[in-house]
Amino acid sequence: MKNKDIANSIEAIAPLHLQESYDNCGFQVGNPEEECSGVLICVDATEEIIQEAIDKACNLVVTHHPLLFHAVKQVLDRNRMDRVLFKAIKNNITIYSCHTAIDFAPALGVSMTDAEILGLTDIQPLVKMEDKTGPVAGELKQRMSVKQAIEHIKKSLDCSAARLSRYDEKAVVKKIAIGGGACGDFIVDAIKAGADIFVTSDCKHNDFIDHQKDIILMDLGHFDTEKCTKLIFYKIITEKFPNFAVYKSEIEQNPIIYC
């Protein structure tokens, strides 16, 4: 099996044409034609991740966030990207990334997966798109207080902290909208959908002020709303190649520490 065969299995679910125009999904460095010895899955490529791939005898790293995002004119060991490129090339590691393509994948998109992890029912897209599924909304199986809903969301998505726009102990939560990653542009759509809480990340200061009375914004941070991509890629690859060596990174942690 070649590296490109692994990529093809992912692109069958998340074809590259789904990615945003600014994005850079696909092979980042290495050789798509090389025989694959094993796959390591992560959110972000770091030097530690490349070392983990080496230790696990994996010559393909599948990431969510692209390592190469902007035009590169020099590689001079000045930053994380440079150092990861050096280490990957020296150790014959190929890196493949699937960012907004998997975000918008209709069947196994990031927001849809998060919603399923929360146990929501009747999951529907917040915005109708021709061949994409972005943020979604669904209903809890039973009504919860705000406190119960917040604890349920944090526990289900394995998050230690959240930023909230409002904490109303008397409010009842039934419908939850979720947008994995930075989905602040969909706040109004979540309100129109009748969601009691909108779970997302990277909300701006004004978002909390402007929509405080309309909906409870729950900002869990970028990593914690997108780390489900490791589950997604693992599911895709292992279902296509059930007897192949595929690993989810054991060392990767949220790069932001809450204290």
Side-chain angles (χ1 to χ4, degrees), residues 113-180:
T113 300
D114 278 339
E116 290 173 349
I117 291 172
L118 292 179
L120 302 184
T121 62
D122 191 24
I123 302 170
Q124 301 292 330
L126 286 184
V127 179
K128 291 184 179 180
M129 303 182 219
E130 185 175 350
D131 58 352
K132 299 179 179 181
T133 300
V136 299
E139 296 195 355
L140 292 165
K141 293 178 182 178
Q142 60 185 24
R143 295 178 183 275
M144 296 183 180
S145 67
V146 170
K147 181 179 180 180
Q148 289 172 326
I150 290 170
E151 290 306 313
H152 170 69
I153 293 167
K154 287 170 62 178
K155 182 178 180 180
S156 298
L157 298 180
D158 190 24
C159 305
S160 61
R163 295 193 300 157
L164 298 172
S165 63
R166 190 174 81 246
Y167 190 91
D168 184 356
E169 292 186 357
K170 297 180 180 179
V172 175
V173 177
K174 177 62 174 176
K175 193 168 189 178
I176 295 175
I178 187 160

Side-chain angles (χ1 to χ4, degrees), residues 24-204:
N24 185 35
C25 296
F27 284 102
Q28 306 282 295
V29 62
N31 184 1
E33 298 291 340
E34 188 166 23
E35 291 292 323
C36 185
S37 62
V39 183
L40 179 66
I41 302 167
C42 62
V43 177
D44 295 286
T46 63
E47 292 176 87
E48 292 77 16
I49 290 291
I50 300 301
Q51 186 59 53
E52 186 180 8
I54 295 168
D55 295 341
K56 286 181 164 61
C58 297
N59 65 347
L60 176 61
V61 173
V62 173
T63 78
H64 180 46
H65 294 139
L67 175 66
L68 301 174
F69 207 78
H70 303 290
V72 177
K73 296 183 178 181
Q74 294 177 312
V75 181
L76 298 175
D77 194 13
R78 298 169 301 185
N79 53 44
R80 172 180 67 98
M81 184 195 70
D82 290 352
R83 291 187 288 274
V84 172
L85 284 173
F86 276 130
K87 194 174 184 71
I89 293 170
K90 285 180 179 179
N91 291 278
N92 202 33
I93 303 290
T94 294
I95 300 175
Y96 176 89
S97 301
C98 190
H99 187 207
T100 53
I102 199 67
D103 283 344
F104 291 119
L108 284 172
V110 172
S111 300
M112 180 68 75
T113 300
D114 278 339
E116 290 173 349
I117 291 172
L118 292 179
L120 302 184
T121 62
D122 191 24
I123 302 170
Q124 301 292 330
L126 286 184
V127 179
K128 291 184 179 180
M129 303 182 219
E130 185 175 350
D131 58 352
K132 299 179 179 181
T133 300
V136 299
E139 296 195 355
L140 292 165
K141 293 178 182 178
Q142 60 185 24
R143 295 178 183 275
M144 296 183 180
S145 67
V146 170
K147 181 179 180 180
Q148 289 172 326
I150 290 170
E151 290 306 313
H152 170 69
I153 293 167
K154 287 170 62 178
K155 182 178 180 180
S156 298
L157 298 180
D158 190 24
C159 305
S160 61
R163 295 193 300 157
L164 298 172
S165 63
R166 190 174 81 246
Y167 190 91
D168 184 356
E169 292 186 357
K170 297 180 180 179
V172 175
V173 177
K174 177 62 174 176
K175 193 168 189 178
I176 295 175
I178 187 160
C183 289
D185 291 343
F186 293 89
I187 295 172
V188 172
D189 299 297
I191 294 168
K192 289 180 179 178
D196 302 300
I197 295 178
F198 182 35
V199 181
T200 188
S201 73
D202 304 342
C203 292
K204 298 177 182 178

